[in-house]
Amino acid sequence: MQVLLQLHQCNNDECSASVTPLLNISASSTICSGTLVNFTAIPNNGGSTPSYQWKLNGANVGSNSATYSSSSLNNNDIVTCVMTSSDALF
């Protein structure tokens, strides 16, 4: 996992720092057509209550949850998740 630290606006020895939010996704099992797979979003620097939008082949699926489950995946399907940090710094 990688955390990026960027310094901004240094004035009189005071610097504000921002950290880039990152998201890893894990799958509960090997992904095979017709098999139930549970995906879990593992946030880093997402704030206390990040929001999530899961996508299947670019289309919104799931709900605002750190998990998404599907048993209707096909070959070449792409599952992604967009996390929006609840931290005001992001």
Side-chain angles (χ1 to χ4, degrees):
M1 183 170 289
Q2 175 182 347
V3 177
L4 302 176
L5 179 63
Q6 301 170 335
L7 296 178
H8 299 282
Q9 299 177 336
C10 293
N11 297 325
N12 299 328
D13 296 327
E14 292 183 23
C15 294
S16 61
S18 64
V19 178
T20 302
L22 299 172
L23 183 68
N24 287 321
I25 298 174
S26 69
S28 62
S29 63
T30 301
I31 302 170
C32 296
S33 183
T35 302
L36 177 65
V37 181
N38 300 305
F39 295 93
T40 303
I42 305 165
N44 187 358
N45 301 316
S48 59
T49 55
S51 62
Y52 303 93
Q53 178 59 66
W54 291 93
K55 295 178 182 275
L56 176 59
N57 299 322
N60 291 346
V61 293
S63 61
N64 181 17
S65 172
T67 60
Y68 168 68
S69 299
S70 178
S71 59
S72 60
L73 298 174
N74 297 303
N75 287 339
N76 300 315
D77 278 348
I78 299 172
V79 175
T80 58
C81 183
V82 176
M83 178 190 71
T84 302
S85 174
S86 63
D87 194 326
L89 292 177
F90 305 114

